[in-house]
Amino acid sequence: MERTVLTNARIFLGNGFSESHNRLLVCNSQVAEVGFGPSRMNRDDGAVIDCNGGFLTPGFWDIQINGCAGADFLTSSRETIEQALGRLLLHGVTTIYPTVITDSPDRMAAAISKLAAIKDDPARCGIGGLHLEGPAISGGAGKGCHPKEFIRPLTLAEYYRWQELSGGKIAIVTLAPETERALSIIPALVTEGTTVALGHTDADKDTINRAIDCGARLATHLWNASKKTLDRNLEHIGALLASDDVFASFIADSYHIHPDTLKISLRAKGTGRAILVSDAMSGAMMPNGI
């Protein structure tokens, strides 16, 4: 039996961190015990790791990440992406949902096939599923940095083809509910087990609420890829914040969203319905450059 004890740690217990420095026993890669005080295990029984009073948490999951460490999940080679997955693990990220953004049908299909073919490896961050961000998004203010020439409606035929290429690994689809056929295909995606996220949208409140009624359950990087000036009712943002059925992701870097806006949003959604994402791209983890 492989045994590892992590000692002198502030351990995350589900609703907060332990107040004192404790220990955690891992047997055969499974958490076996959370204890208090110094470890009674000697080094002949297994590895003992001193956390020096640091915080100990489960591995981080990132449900929206476009690349990192020089790898772009849309365009880079499989080898480059696998190297980036190794780098992610060093930062405590154990599972990601690689995000394929709006592009030509062929390039999106190629990226889906490439990412789906990557095998699990304990030396790398794992892939929990794929996140398609587009192509059915707003062509107006909500498009963000997505290339306008490739924005188009999503058909069920295209989705089913992509899902087949992925081996059933498409887990999240971000779309704008005001786009052509979006409201009609949301129930089909939900039936397939895919989480439908609303983002890159200029929809009004009524359209957002109709999408939620159809089964949409996530808001993608709320407050971003939005109009710079919203009306007094906050339009789609107000509807997504007010819904108790919708989880919301936020890029909490103080640039994409002001700390005060994030605080208000977290009070509206509660920590149980808020998800922090990096939305990182290939420049993440790289040295300073242009």
Side-chain angles (χ1 to χ4, degrees):
M1 178 181 293
E2 294 183 7
R3 294 160 57 90
T4 301
V5 171
L6 297 99
T7 66
N8 192 21
R10 293 282 306 280
I11 301 174
F12 182 71
L13 300 175
N15 59 354
F17 288 90
S18 60
E19 294 184 1
S20 58
H21 298 165
N22 301 311
R23 67 179 187 277
L24 184 143
L25 172 64
V26 178
C27 295
N28 293 334
S29 301
Q30 299 291 321
V31 174
E33 179 186 71
V34 175
F36 302 91
S39 171
R40 295 184 298 272
M41 189 176 84
N42 60 52
R43 296 187 182 275
D44 293 334
D45 298 325
V48 179
I49 299 173
D50 188 340
C51 296
N52 296 312
F55 293 99
L56 184 61
T57 76
F60 294 114
W61 289 41
D62 195 343
I63 67 168
Q64 183 164 13
I65 175 170
N66 312 286
C68 62
D72 183 304
F73 295 152
L74 180 68
T75 61
S76 293
S77 68
R78 176 175 166 177
E79 180 182 17
T80 300
I81 293 172
E82 289 176 342
Q83 291 172 355
L85 294 177
R87 292 280 301 280
L88 276 168
L89 194 63
L90 298 176
H91 288 262
V93 181
T94 56
T95 302
I96 64 167
Y97 286 68
T99 304
V100 177
I101 68 166
T102 304
D103 209 300
S104 70
D106 288 345
R107 292 226 303 183
M108 291 185 73
I112 290 166
S113 297
K114 173 181 60 186
L115 291 165
I118 295 175
K119 305 297 183 184
D120 288 338
D121 186 322
R124 299 194 298 257
C125 171
I127 293 177
L130 305 185
H131 181 171
L132 304 188
E133 190 181 8
I137 61 172
S138 168
K143 78 176 184 63
C145 64
H146 288 231
K148 190 168 186 176
E149 64 268 27
F150 295 125
I151 293 174
R152 61 192 184 278
L154 176 64
T155 66
L156 280 177
E158 187 170 35
Y159 165 79
Y160 289 138
R161 175 173 173 258
W162 286 343
Q163 192 64 286
E164 183 178 3
L165 288 172
S166 75
K169 294 180 180 178
I170 295 174
I172 305 170
V173 172
T174 292
L175 52 75
E178 72 272 23
T179 57
E180 184 182 346
R181 293 188 296 271
L183 290 175
S184 65
I185 70 171
I186 289 174
L189 270 60
V190 172
T191 299
E192 288 285 311
T194 299
T195 296
V196 175
L198 306 178
H200 288 277
T201 175
D202 294 312
D204 57 25
K205 281 191 172 185
D206 179 63
T207 304
I208 292 292
N209 287 324
R210 288 169 63 195
I212 295 170
D213 289 341
C214 288
R217 289 295 180 266
L218 177 64
T220 292
H221 53 48
L222 197 58
W223 294 97
N224 298 128
S226 303
K227 296 175 183 176
K228 298 298 182 185
T229 303
L230 301 172
D231 70 14
R232 61 194 289 174
N233 294 316
L234 291 182
E235 299 174 0
H236 70 282
I237 290 177
L240 290 167
L241 282 176
S243 173
D244 291 335
D245 293 324
V246 174
F247 290 72
S249 67
F250 302 96
I251 310 171
D253 59 1
S254 298
Y255 176 82
H256 286 84
I257 181 171
H258 190 279
D260 291 344
T261 305
L262 179 61
K263 181 183 289 187
I264 293 168
S265 300
L266 292 178
R267 287 176 176 174
K269 302 310 294 184
T271 55
R273 291 187 179 89
I275 302 169
L276 305 185
V277 296
S278 71
D279 204 13
M281 39 74 78
S282 59
M285 304 182 196
M286 297 294 284
N288 290 339
I290 297 173

